[in-house]
Amino acid sequence: MESTGTTPPPAATSPREQWRAQGYLVLRNVLKASHIARLRTIVEHVYAQWRTCPMTSEPGDYGYEPNAWIILHLNHPGRFREHPEYLRDLLDTIAEPVAIRTLEQIMGEVPLFSQAAMFINPPGHTRPGNWHRDCQYQTEGEEQERAAVRDEADPPREVHLNIPLLSTRHTWVVPGSHLRWDTPEERDIRLHHSTTKELPGAVRLELEPGDLAFFHVNSLHRGTYDKDMLRRTLNLTYSRASIVRPASGVEELNRTKGYVSTFQPWCLKPGYLDGVRPETREFFERFIRTYLDSWRPEYLSDALGAGRLAYFRDF
Ligand SMILES: O=C(O)CCC(=O)C(=O)O
């Protein structure tokens, strides 16, 4: 880890304690080289498929363009029409036993799938990325935001897991910030200079293929997206099974252009889980049971446009 601050993170005695104190945890060399090579094949296939999709058929307009930095919903079966076996291997990776066991330890309960995305280097323009806490996008006003930081701290409401498929130095976290509100300086930088100034004490995660990097969604963190530095990092999000965030209805889906992370009706496609490991099946069946009731056809309206309607209906 490279630190910009003067105070090194305190020595941690166990992964659980490191998580609790720092709000992030890196496990080294978990995935074998052959697994990473397979994932590279899979994500290059996804990239090539996604590249051909018009913006208006991707949720939230997260489609291919010079500024693109993320591909959402890697687990959409439409990405794998010619290679269903790629989908199976991707689902098995999302439910990877070491990752799930670690999440159980961190969360103190069973983890629930939420989203599978991938960070990429933008095709045209470097994106500095902004310091943020994820809860700032899910709350309104400082009072709610402070309450989320407080209530979702430990155990965490949600955890991101970054799986780099190439060496990467593009994720920054402020250790311990998941447990407390911003200092005045942090607040000023997060709100007014989020892409131009460094946060004191931030560490840059130095990740190699095979590593698993967990971080708290409400920690102060940032990604950077350098157009000239090939980036392929899976970004998986898990919540605690007791905390769910279903799509609330047609208004929300229209407002977000179809991007509500757990709105994934394609999981109901017959055969979606064919060939996965038994524990992967159990893991995704829990996700399906939890969100099934929110995957309602009536949540999809013409306002989404024909491309997105097809994305959610014809997989
Ligand atoms: O690794 C990165 O690019 C940072 C990710 C990030 O900002 C997020 O997951 O919210």
Side-chain angles (χ1 to χ4, degrees), residues 119 132 134 160 162 170-171 215 221-225 231 235:
F119 294 128
H132 64 281
D134 282 14
H160 287 310
N162 274 8
H170 293 93
T171 308
F215 56 101
H221 67 279
R222 172 192 196 182
T224 53
Y225 309 87
R231 188 166 190 213
N235 176 254

Side-chain angles (χ1 to χ4, degrees), residues 31-82:
L31 304 185
K32 292 194 180 112
S34 55
H35 190 166
I36 297 296
R38 175 71 170 165
L39 289 171
R40 274 300 302 279
T41 303
I42 294 171
V43 302
E44 294 313 327
H45 170 82
V46 169
Y47 190 103
Q49 185 274 345
W50 167 79
R51 212 188 145 139
T52 64
C53 298
M55 277 312 233
T56 49
S57 64
E58 288 287 320
D61 282 343
Y62 286 105
Y64 182 83
E65 52 143 342
N67 297 305
W69 53 282
I70 189 167
I71 305 178
L72 288 180
H73 296 318
L74 301 183
N75 57 315
H76 187 295
R79 310 214 186 274
F80 300 102
R81 289 200 174 91
E82 310 90 61

